[in-house]
Amino acid sequence: MEKISVVNKKLQIPNHVVIPFIEGDGIGKEIWQATYPVIDAAVNKAYQGRKKIIWQEVLAGEKAFEKTGEWLPKETLHAIYEAKVALKGPLTTPVGGGIRSLNVALRQELDLFACVRPVRYFTGIPSPLKEPEKTDMVIFRENTEDVYAGIEFEKDSPEVKELIEILTNQFDVTKIRFPKTSAIGIKPISKEGSQRLIGAAIEYAITQKLPTVTLVHKGNIMKFTEGGFKKWGYELAETKYADYCFTMNQYQSILLKDGKEAATNALNEAMTHKIIVNDVIADNFLQQILLNPANFSVIATCNLNGDYISDALAAQVGGIGIAPGANINYNTGHAIFEATHGTAPDIAGLGKANPCSLLLSAVMLLDYLDCSKAGALITAAIEKALAQGYVTADFAAMLPAATLQTTAQFGAHLQKLIEEA
Ligand code: NAD
């Protein structure tokens, strides 16, 4: 069995490929048990034995702690590092004792800078929107910077006192409203970090032939950090991706120089064969995804905005039970595909969990492994099952006419649909 390698930023994938998986805590075991037979059935159906996934369990979370005394054993990191990719269930965040979130630790160790979340509607799912099918986007959330970098200093700590003194005395900062009782967090946003994320979003739009890339930011208020994100995004689109992109920054320049008609003509002409790169302020974006969701296709945004936006968009199309995600470093090829929800301790062990988040993350994994044919079979089976009214408890509660399925029954139904396809 060969391992995945990367040549010129392109993955070389053996036909029989070893993929590590982390089962996860809480509902992790149930959704994993329902998921992997569906993936195996889809790969088998699509490639008739020519391609195969060999699952390798690696430990993290409670299971790892029970067996090894460590929450995230070095062997697990090493195995994922070597295999390049992994599929992961939800992990409990250990409380206290200075233990970091395991999810954050995995992302940081492998420098998985892009959090990629596709959001689409499946017919039959309850949604708060009148026309939920108009929501069809892929979010690229920056995963390593921003106030989420973890650079925070507690109120009254020696560090915070020193920082406030430097800011006040050396930088003449007068805007800390309550300097004696403040905690401080730092928001690093770099040109390099922004451009590698925005570049990934543009490349995705190019390969998937999507019409727009929208930079979502609060640069009107945070001019150098999120304003920088927007500026560096436009710069990248206008230089490295000039053959593929037309930006609203270029539109504005033409507008100022040659007037409205010339700018409109340039935009209309660009729309026939180029990706339009535009930007929206984050608060307006949260309105627009409800009012005009069809206006957006690929979203590139900073870490904190991306966190809020991902959950808001997931809720529009059925909630976290069906929201997939991946954390990817497009330069090294490392990627972890994961259910975006948590361990759901309130329903763990009851057969109520929806395995779709993990299943659709597996579809992303299959696309990444150039096994899209198998991924498409899983997506089609989910579409069919949901349209037939076969749903798990989360949706059944809102769909009186539906056929309630346990997690295991739902997985078995999908497997049957794939085998019969
Ligand atoms: P949660 O996502 O586990 O649960 C929130 C709500 O959604 C609960 O009512 C739960 O029952 C429901 N839910 C979640 N997944 C579902 C599914 N697949 N099917 C049906 N219903 C589902 O969030 P929480 O309760 O805030 O967190 C619980 C634990 O999970 C915490 O330790 C938290 O740190 C951890 N967590 C892990 C991840 C991850 O591993 N990526 C993400 C978020 C939270």
Side-chain angles (χ1 to χ4, degrees):
M1 245 98 51
E2 293 171 66
K3 281 189 285 192
I4 295 175
S5 55
V6 180
V7 178
N8 293 332
K9 283 198 186 183
K10 216 176 156 346
L11 293 186
Q12 311 292 311
I13 301 147
N15 279 335
H16 288 199
V17 60
V18 176
I19 305 288
F21 73 92
I22 295 170
E23 187 180 76
D25 301 324
I27 57 170
K29 192 179 178 72
E30 296 156 70
I31 58 173
W32 168 250
Q33 295 293 338
T35 293
Y36 83 85
V38 177
I39 307 173
D40 289 348
V43 173
N44 193 36
K45 178 88 184 178
Y47 304 105
Q48 303 290 321
R50 197 167 52 79
K51 291 191 182 192
K52 195 170 163 44
I53 293 178
I54 295 123
W55 298 108
Q56 175 197 11
E57 179 163 19
V58 293
L59 298 177
E62 284 164 1
K63 199 165 176 182
F65 191 70
E66 276 160 26
K67 291 199 173 167
T68 69
E70 284 180 85
W71 290 94
L72 185 58
K74 278 191 199 67
E75 294 74 29
T76 295
L77 274 174
H78 182 72
I80 299 176
Y81 186 85
E82 287 292 310
K84 292 267 189 279
V85 300
L87 183 62
K88 172 188 157 299
L91 292 172
T92 304
T93 303
V95 182
I99 305 163
R100 291 182 295 174
S101 152
L102 301 177
N103 298 304
V104 174
L106 278 167
R107 286 170 208 166
Q108 285 178 348
E109 294 289 339
L110 298 170
D111 194 23
L112 305 176
F113 64 81
C115 176
V116 184
R117 300 259 177 107
V119 186
R120 60 155 285 196
Y121 180 66
F122 286 84
T123 304
I125 292 180
S127 157
L129 297 192
K130 283 194 199 132
E131 297 176 304
E133 66 286 352
K134 288 190 172 169
T135 302
D136 188 1
M137 303 177 208
V138 180
I139 307 159
F140 282 74
R141 164 186 168 192
E142 206 290 323
N143 230 354
T144 64
E145 299 196 303
D146 206 346
V147 280
Y148 274 26
I151 313 167
E152 272 200 310
F153 301 97
E154 200 173 357
K155 164 183 160 301
D156 295 331
S157 64
E159 293 86 354
V160 97
K161 285 183 185 157
E162 199 173 330
L163 258 176
I164 291 176
E165 195 180 298
I166 292 171
L167 289 170
T168 313
N169 297 335
Q170 294 186 27
F171 296 143
D172 294 328
V173 170
T174 55
K175 290 178 191 162
I176 302 174
R177 179 67 183 82
F178 298 108
K180 288 203 166 63
T181 60
S182 286
I184 292 209
I186 308 268
K187 182 180 174 77
I189 303 259
S190 67
K191 179 174 178 178
E192 196 177 348
S194 301
Q195 289 194 335
R196 68 177 179 170
L197 183 275
I198 295 163
I202 292 175
E203 302 238 356
Y204 182 85
I206 293 170
T207 52
Q208 300 298 313
K209 302 192 175 10
L210 293 168
T212 57
V213 172
T214 303
L215 311 172
V216 180
H217 61 90
K218 284 289 291 178
N220 54 332
I221 307 292
M222 294 174 270
K223 294 195 187 308
F224 298 129
T225 50
E226 301 216 3
F229 181 85
K230 169 183 128 177
K231 181 174 138 205
W232 301 320
Y234 277 144
E235 273 175 21
L236 185 74
E238 290 164 17
T239 52
K240 184 172 177 190
Y241 296 104
D243 290 346
Y244 299 95
C245 297
F246 178 82
T247 72
M248 289 314 280
N249 195 37
Q250 290 170 317
Y251 172 88
Q252 287 298 339
S253 305
I254 302 171
L255 186 70
L256 285 177
K257 200 163 139 270
D258 302 319
K260 180 132 181 99
E261 197 182 334
T264 308
N265 287 343
L267 178 60
N268 286 341
E269 201 272 326
M271 280 165 75
T272 62
H273 63 290
K274 283 190 169 179
I275 294 159
I276 306 303
V277 180
N278 54 21
D279 73 282
V280 180
I281 305 285
D283 39 341
N284 182 24
F285 183 74
L286 287 169
Q287 282 194 69
Q288 294 303 322
I289 54 175
L290 289 171
L291 300 173
N292 300 303
N295 285 354
F296 304 103
S297 56
V298 179
I299 310 305
T301 192
C302 307
N303 207 339
L304 177 61
N305 299 330
D307 200 3
Y308 300 147
I309 288 167
S310 303
D311 275 25
L313 277 169
Q316 288 186 199
V317 295
I320 47 177
I322 198 159
N327 296 290
I328 305 176
N329 182 322
Y330 288 93
N331 299 327
T332 63
H334 284 117
I336 297 183
F337 297 80
E338 63 173 351
T340 57
H341 53 74
T343 58
D346 52 335
I347 56 167
L350 301 179
K352 291 184 171 180
N354 187 341
C356 282
S357 174
L358 190 61
L359 276 162
L360 292 168
S361 303
V363 171
M364 295 176 75
L365 165 68
L366 290 167
D367 287 347
Y368 196 73
L369 297 178
D370 217 4
C371 295
S372 302
K373 231 168 118 185
L377 284 170
I378 298 176
T379 306
I382 293 176
E383 279 168 352
K384 193 160 182 187
L386 297 174
Q388 289 170 336
Y390 282 74
V391 294
T392 42
D394 49 340
F395 294 155
M398 290 173 276
L399 297 169
T403 309
L404 174 64
Q405 302 273 282
T406 64
T407 311
Q409 284 169 335
F410 186 77
H413 186 61
L414 295 181
Q415 196 181 331
K416 191 165 141 276
L417 288 174
I418 288 169
E419 281 159 3
E420 287 170 1

